[in-house]
Every structure is written in C-alpha cells, then in structure tokens.
Amino acid sequence: GVIHTQASWLNVNQVRARTYMNQGLSPQQIIDSITTHDFQNNPSIRQYGVVSLDSGGRSAAYTGINCSDYKNHITGPNYSIQGNILLGPQILDSMQARFLNTSGNLACKLMAALQGAKVIGADTRCNAFGISTFSAFIRVANPGDSAGNLFLDITVNTYPNHIEPIDTLQILF
C-alpha cells in the first residue's frame, strides 16, 4: 500500500501510519488512528492519503481544517489525491481525471495525474514565478524493494531557479 503525508509533515506520524499498515489496519483505521494520536496533538494542520493495494484498492484521506486554502482530497479505488495551497478544486479534479483515463502501470497513471496539476499557480505560492509548483516527485516500490532501492524514485526540486518541475520530472520519467 501507500501512505502519503503532507501539510506540516511530521516523520513520526508517517512512521506510525506505516506501522499501522504493517499491522493490517484498513486505510480508514490508519487515518483515524494517526489523527487521533497526532504526535503534536494537532492533526488539523496535516493531510494524509492512504491506499491499500492488497485488499481491493481501499483508500481513505484526511484534510485538516487548518491546512491552507484551497485544500481538499479525492479518493477512489486504488487512489487518493490530496492538496493544499491550491488554485482551486479544478486541480484535484484534473489530476483525478488523468489518473483514471490513463492506461498503463501505476507509475504511468501517477505521472499523468501530476501532469493534471501542471497549471501555472496550481500551488498558489508559485503563481508569481509562472510555474505550477516548486517541486515534484514520483515514487513506486515493488514488493521487496528496500527504502533506498525503489523501482522508481525521482524527485525534482527547482527552487530557486523556478523551472517547471513537472516538465523536468516527465523528461526524467
């Protein structure tokens, strides 16, 4: 499965979520547990997405009420899309449409979803720079991969040069 944490990311919360996944908790149980037992007792500033790929693609997400606007999440079988500091709901909708309408393996679907977010100012902090976001990444692991040796692990950080990171990520992909 997969667990993604963002918006005031805290490693201890992600490690706790991974422990819960390894114990067999469902995505919703994981969300409930990490929000109830947030290490700093402030889940309202965090976002989580959890997908269990070994049990029919169940998914769950959480967006804290104190994450920066626009904030929300979308879930479906085999995916969870979350964002904050966004231009608006059209960014998440575009990502979902591209994920669902792209054929190929998970990596291809994830890359397509990221392309759905390639809109100037999708992350509103980036509008003045004419880019969608300051960074982009894609990580895919096969069963048995170790943390330092994933099937696919590409990260593009373009700050302070303000080069469109999703284009660079697509080239590397």
Side-chain angles (χ1 to χ4, degrees), residues 67-143:
C67 291
S68 298
D69 283 330
Y70 173 78
K71 59 192 176 271
N72 207 348
H73 58 264
I74 301 172
T75 61
N78 295 315
Y79 68 91
S80 175
I81 303 166
Q82 55 274 343
N84 65 88
I85 319 173
L86 295 177
L87 190 60
Q90 68 273 23
I91 303 303
L92 296 176
D93 293 342
S94 175
M95 293 177 75
Q96 180 186 36
R98 291 198 183 215
F99 182 87
L100 293 173
N101 294 312
T102 296
S103 59
N105 64 19
L106 178 61
C108 292
K109 294 172 91 53
L110 291 172
M111 189 67 238
L114 287 172
Q115 284 290 349
K118 194 182 85 175
V119 174
I120 292 174
D123 175 334
T124 56
R125 299 170 295 181
C126 301
N127 197 29
F129 304 107
I131 57 175
S132 64
T133 186
F134 290 127
S135 65
F137 71 91
I138 186 167
R139 298 180 83 191
V140 178
N142 286 322

Side-chain angles (χ1 to χ4, degrees), residues 18-108:
R18 184 173 47 245
T19 299
Y20 293 147
M21 181 172 272
N22 289 337
Q23 291 172 352
L25 272 67
S26 73
Q28 189 59 56
Q29 289 172 315
I30 293 169
I31 294 287
D32 293 344
S33 295
I34 59 177
T35 55
T36 300
H37 304 289
D38 183 87
F39 186 74
Q40 294 175 330
N41 199 31
N42 191 7
S44 71
I45 61 172
R46 308 197 201 289
Q47 276 191 306
Y48 299 107
V50 180
V51 178
S52 176
L53 299 174
D54 64 350
S55 59
R58 292 179 296 170
S59 64
Y62 170 82
T63 299
I65 61 170
N66 291 319
C67 291
S68 298
D69 283 330
Y70 173 78
K71 59 192 176 271
N72 207 348
H73 58 264
I74 301 172
T75 61
N78 295 315
Y79 68 91
S80 175
I81 303 166
Q82 55 274 343
N84 65 88
I85 319 173
L86 295 177
L87 190 60
Q90 68 273 23
I91 303 303
L92 296 176
D93 293 342
S94 175
M95 293 177 75
Q96 180 186 36
R98 291 198 183 215
F99 182 87
L100 293 173
N101 294 312
T102 296
S103 59
N105 64 19
L106 178 61
C108 292

